């Protein structure tokens, strides 16, 4: 299992586990992580799974593809570290991944 740490806007951490091949969004939704909505179900068409990848982990992820990059611009308060969690597929190299949640998805 891959350990994931979600940090909400107030600094509270929630640790959950996911399996290799799952998306970060699906694990968050299935685990009830508040702040990850995933309205489109992972189709990269709504930006309600927006998160900020901790700077220590950014280099371990591939760059967003053009569709994800365009959708990130639709998110509330995008930053350089913004990603859509539906586009992050879990692998062993992401064990311990830290992501920060925005104040709002809408």
């Amino acid at each position: 299992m891959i350990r994931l740490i979600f940090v909400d806007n107030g600094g509270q951490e929630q640790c959950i586990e996911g399996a290799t091949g799952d998306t970060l969004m699906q694990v968050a939704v299935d685990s009830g992580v508040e702040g990850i909505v995933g309205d489109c179900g992972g189709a990269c068409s709504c930006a309600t799974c927006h998160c900020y990848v901790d700077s220590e982990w950014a280099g371990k992820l591939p760059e967003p593809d053009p569709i994800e990059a365009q959708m990130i611009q639709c998110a509330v308060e995008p930053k350089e570290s913004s990603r859509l969690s539906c586009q992050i597929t879990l692998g062993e190299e992401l064990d311990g991944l830290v992501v920060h949640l925005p104040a709002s998805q809408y």
Side-chain angles (χ1 to χ4, degrees), residues 6-9 12 14 28-29 31-37 101-103 105:
F6 290 86
V7 183
D8 72 16
N9 194 25
Q12 291 292 109
Q14 182 176 357
V29 169
S31 300
V33 173
E34 290 189 32
I36 298 290
V37 180
L101 303 174
Q105 294 288 1

Side-chain angles (χ1 to χ4, degrees), residues 15-50:
C15 297
I16 61 174
E17 291 184 337
T20 298
D22 288 345
T23 65
L24 183 61
M25 182 216 70
Q26 193 60 56
V27 173
V29 169
D30 289 349
S31 300
V33 173
E34 290 189 32
I36 298 290
V37 180
D39 280 341
C40 73
C44 196
S45 63
C46 73
T48 62
C49 66
H50 175 229

Side-chain angles (χ1 to χ4, degrees), residues 14-101:
Q14 182 176 357
C15 297
I16 61 174
E17 291 184 337
T20 298
D22 288 345
T23 65
L24 183 61
M25 182 216 70
Q26 193 60 56
V27 173
V29 169
D30 289 349
S31 300
V33 173
E34 290 189 32
I36 298 290
V37 180
D39 280 341
C40 73
C44 196
S45 63
C46 73
T48 62
C49 66
H50 175 229
C51 64
Y52 306 113
V53 174
D54 194 86
S55 61
E56 292 183 29
W57 290 92
K60 295 184 180 188
L61 295 174
E63 291 293 318
D65 69 23
I67 294 170
E68 180 185 0
Q70 184 176 16
M71 285 306 305
I72 287 170
Q73 298 312 307
C74 297
V76 176
E77 297 187 37
K79 300 178 182 178
E80 188 174 320
S81 62
S82 289
R83 292 298 302 264
L84 299 183
S85 60
C86 69
Q87 299 301 298
I88 298 174
T89 302
L90 301 180
E92 293 298 326
E93 72 281 1
L94 297 180
D95 186 42
L97 176 66
V98 177
V99 295
H100 300 267
L101 303 174

